[in-house]
Amino acid sequence: MAGRVCQDPGCCTLLSIYNDMDYCSLHAPMVVPRMRGKVLND
Ligand SMILES: [Zn+2]
């Protein structure tokens, strides 16, 4: 489904259809350790 946006108030970043989270990468509640390359969202 397209058209989802970040749930953070005031943020209207569109979420990828492949992103199962409710927040964009800037507002995701969990802290992602810095790693080289892309982190797969399992
Ligand atoms: Zn956001």
Side-chain angles (χ1 to χ4, degrees):
M1 288 294 211
R4 293 184 309 126
V5 296
C6 177
Q7 294 298 297
D8 190 82
C11 180
C12 52
T13 299
L14 273 176
L15 300 176
S16 166
I17 60 173
Y18 302 110
N19 186 349
D20 288 333
M21 297 187 297
D22 293 327
Y23 295 85
C24 70
S25 57
L26 289 178
H27 297 121
M30 71 174 177
V31 178
V32 180
R34 294 193 64 170
M35 301 176 70
R36 281 185 291 175
K38 287 195 171 186
V39 177
L40 295 177
N41 291 323
D42 196 356

